Amino acid sequence: MNYRLEKDSMGEIKVPEDQLWGAQTQRSFENFKIGSEKMPLEVVHQLAKIKKAAAMANKDLGLISMEKKELMIKALDEIIEGKRNGEFPLSVWQTGSGTQTNMNVNEVTAHIAKEISENPRIHPNDDVNKSQSSNDVFPSAIHMTAVELTKKVLLPALENMIHSLEKKEREFSSIVKVGRTHLQDATPITLGQEFSGYRYTLERNYEIIERALEFMYDLPLGGTAVGTGLNTKEGYDQLVIEYLRKITDLPYKLSKNKFHHLQTKTEFTHLSGTLSLLAGDLYKIANDIRLLASGPRCGIGELILPSNEPGSSIMPGKVNPTQSEALTMVCTQVFGNHRTISDGATRGQFELNVFMPVMIFNFIQMIDLLATGMDSFRKNCIDGIKANEGKIAEYLKDSLMNVTALNPIIGYENSAKIAAYAYEHQLDLKTAAITLNILTEEEFDKAMDFSSMVQANIK
């Protein structure tokens, strides 16, 4: 391999001749050979957007020439468009401020600019990083990454999941079944009502996530090293945020307290927490569906799941709830990711949090797992679910908790007496009520109207 010599404040270092990064990137590459996880390109692209806005602001303030501004923007656009993705090799397990990735972007931008034109010369620190510090741009970049992925990847997948559940809610609206509480029989419900609970749960998750996003638009740009704005010109922060809004078409705004956004990760952790909440609700839904489909003959068996693949290497004809298993594993991973983010949020000593790379890495994995997990579960499970109406009707007829409908007519104690007698003597409720001379057949049939029982609380 051929090398060239690059120089920084620590001296010279060899860099592969065909790579566009500089000395600081090379030092990080050599010093942090930890794991296989690389700094996500999504973060790199957001850093490039910030630097594009900074170049525009710096030109307006007379800090760089028009030529330098245009040259840097051309270089940064190539990074934003993903044309230089191979130039960002650094490990997630690097400095906790993201400084080395910030310098990676600065150095690559300067070298791309040199490819385009050597005049004027672009310096990674003095030009690309002008009016910036890793300590204000990296926190801003992870906010922007989280916002973009949540809006463009997670929420569309969640919306599709809601629509699929809504279709099943309508499809199952007239199927009355046994309700269950404490894993025991309860009063009737329609299968559609049961699915409406799942649908509304995810609608509420959607709303909660959207609300959390509102806090993520605050950015500490212009705060530089510790939040004071040292080495920036008055008005820079307002200009850079205005340009960033135009570049991203998103309502970013300046933090009301830049010290806060450098020191802590409150808003980021809050958004991560809403993803953990979503994972908890998805776990519950996937687990319910797995239990309702258990069997097919020796379990509950009220739902019939799509047969996507053989379920056993030894038991012919077995079909397992594999999509539920996959989604619940996803959810447990998300719980762990959020735990890491929550712990990382406590690691702000004095003026700076130093766990940002691992926090954004875990967040991006959460988005990817939840979005693809929901897509898989929706396409390969929810959309193909069928109701086992024969089994549902059988359970409904045998349920002792239908006796609850008799409470207003004969009172709680008589109703309990009928249920206990039916259970003890293996009778249905009607036979028990007649045998005990509590109700006639006609009175029982009039009271035991399943349609009215499931509509009782609908306003």
Side-chain angles (χ1 to χ4, degrees):
M1 180 182 290
N2 295 322
Y3 294 92
R4 68 177 188 277
L5 287 178
E6 286 281 337
K7 186 178 181 180
D8 62 10
S9 60
M10 296 185 70
E12 291 184 338
I13 188 170
K14 289 182 178 179
V15 174
E17 194 171 54
D18 58 348
Q19 301 295 161
L20 295 179
W21 60 72
Q24 292 194 48
T25 302
Q26 187 65 30
R27 293 187 196 284
S28 177
F29 184 70
E30 292 179 6
N31 292 336
F32 295 93
K33 293 184 179 296
I34 304 171
S36 59
E37 297 83 5
K38 303 301 181 186
M39 180 62 70
L41 289 168
E42 293 90 344
V43 179
V44 168
H45 298 159
Q46 299 304 323
L47 281 168
K49 291 176 187 177
I50 292 171
K51 292 177 186 300
K52 181 176 179 179
M56 294 173 174
N58 285 324
K59 164 59 181 65
D60 288 355
L61 293 169
L63 299 175
I64 60 172
S65 67
M66 175 65 78
E67 291 79 9
K68 283 191 173 184
K69 171 196 145 183
E70 290 181 350
L71 198 52
M72 283 192 286
I73 287 175
K74 286 179 182 178
L76 289 162
D77 279 342
E78 290 196 21
I79 294 173
I80 292 166
E81 292 163 12
K83 295 178 180 178
R84 304 289 184 154
N85 286 349
E87 300 294 338
F88 303 98
L90 298 187
S91 173
V92 166
W93 317 109
Q94 55 169 276
T95 175
S97 61
T99 299
Q100 290 150 352
T101 288
N102 181 44
M103 282 308 304
N104 189 184
V105 176
N106 291 333
E107 290 176 341
V108 171
T109 302
H111 278 89
I112 297 172
K114 186 177 179 181
E115 278 188 347
I116 298 169
S117 172
E118 290 193 17
N119 187 25
R121 181 176 179 271
I122 302 298
H123 191 278
N125 296 85
D126 296 338
D127 296 313
V128 187
N129 200 60
K130 185 176 286 294
S131 306
Q132 304 154 60
S133 164
S134 303
N135 297 357
D136 68 327
V137 299
F138 199 84
S140 298
I142 70 171
H143 267 227
M144 293 167 62
T145 301
V147 166
E148 186 163 301
L149 292 177
T150 302
K151 289 176 72 69
K152 292 184 178 180
V153 178
L154 181 73
L155 290 181
L158 180 53
E159 188 173 14
N160 289 336
M161 184 81 158
I162 291 167
H163 289 159
S164 283
L165 289 168
E166 192 173 27
K167 288 178 185 176
K168 290 299 168 183
E169 177 185 345
R170 291 195 299 269
E171 181 183 336
F172 299 150
S173 62
S174 62
I175 301 174
V176 182
K177 56 159 284 182
V178 173
R180 293 181 178 87
T181 60
H182 302 272
L183 292 179
Q184 305 296 308
D185 302 344
T187 55
I189 188 175
T190 69
L191 188 55
Q193 288 169 335
E194 197 162 41
F195 270 72
S196 80
Y198 304 150
R199 182 260 308 160
Y200 186 77
T201 295
L202 296 189
E203 287 178 345
R204 182 48 58 95
N205 275 281
Y206 194 105
E207 181 183 359
I208 289 169
I209 293 168
E210 278 197 315
R211 289 183 181 179
L213 279 174
E214 292 300 315
F215 295 101
M216 293 291 288
Y217 293 118
D218 292 357
L219 304 179
L221 291 174
T224 63
V226 294
T228 61
L230 181 66
N231 289 353
T232 63
K233 195 169 182 179
E234 185 177 354
Y236 166 80
D237 54 359
Q238 290 292 343
L239 277 173
V240 75
I241 208 77
E242 287 172 16
Y243 279 120
L244 194 61
R245 281 197 291 263
K246 291 176 182 176
I247 291 167
T248 61
D249 197 29
L250 288 168
Y252 291 114
K253 55 185 183 291
L254 284 178
S255 166
K256 292 180 180 178
N257 188 304
K258 294 169 187 172
F259 306 103
H260 156 73
H261 277 96
L262 270 61
Q263 293 170 3
T264 64
K265 292 291 157 278
T266 305
E267 297 83 356
F268 189 92
T269 309
H270 178 211
L271 181 60
S272 172
T274 67
L275 304 192
S276 185
L277 288 173
L278 171 61
D281 287 331
L282 288 170
Y283 193 110
K284 195 270 182 188
I285 292 167
N287 205 42
D288 274 10
I289 286 172
R290 167 168 49 190
L291 291 172
L292 289 170
S294 60
R297 293 189 175 178
C298 301
I300 295 176
E302 291 184 348
L303 296 181
I304 302 170
L305 303 184
S307 300
N308 296 323
E309 67 277 316
S312 172
S313 61
I314 190 173
M315 293 175 278
K318 197 171 193 297
V319 177
N320 291 331
T322 52
Q323 290 295 320
S324 284
E325 291 166 5
L327 185 57
T328 51
M329 283 194 290
V330 160
C331 293
T332 58
Q333 180 67 41
V334 169
F335 299 151
N337 285 32
H338 176 59
R339 180 66 184 86
T340 297
I341 289 171
S342 298
D343 190 67
T346 71
R347 306 303 178 178
Q349 293 85 28
F350 306 116
E351 274 59 69
L352 186 67
N353 177 280
V354 290
F355 265 56
M356 288 184 282
V358 72
M359 292 174 75
I360 190 59
F361 177 82
N362 274 268
F363 187 91
I364 291 172
Q365 187 182 58
M366 291 167 81
I367 293 282
D368 181 42
L369 287 174
L370 286 169
T372 55
M374 285 190 290
D375 283 344
S376 180
F377 191 69
R378 171 177 57 84
K379 293 174 184 176
N380 299 309
C381 183
I382 297 292
D383 289 348
I385 286 176
K386 292 181 172 59
N388 186 347
E389 296 193 50
K391 181 69 75 173
I392 288 171
E394 177 187 338
Y395 287 150
L396 181 64
K397 177 178 177 294
D398 288 345
S399 174
L400 297 177
M401 290 305 100
N402 296 333
V403 77
T404 307
L406 304 178
N407 285 1
I409 301 168
I410 61 175
Y412 184 94
E413 290 188 8
N414 277 330
S415 298
K417 190 182 296 183
I418 291 171
Y421 190 85
Y423 179 72
E424 183 181 351
H425 295 87
Q426 295 296 298
L427 302 172
D428 59 53
L429 290 174
K430 180 192 284 190
T431 303
I434 294 170
T435 302
L436 292 171
N437 293 316
I438 295 174
L439 287 172
T440 66
E441 182 175 358
E442 183 180 0
E443 289 170 334
F444 182 91
D445 288 341
K446 184 178 180 180
M448 203 58 57
D449 181 354
F450 293 133
S451 295
S452 64
M453 290 168 71
V454 298
Q455 296 297 323
N457 293 318
I458 296 180
K459 305 298 183 186

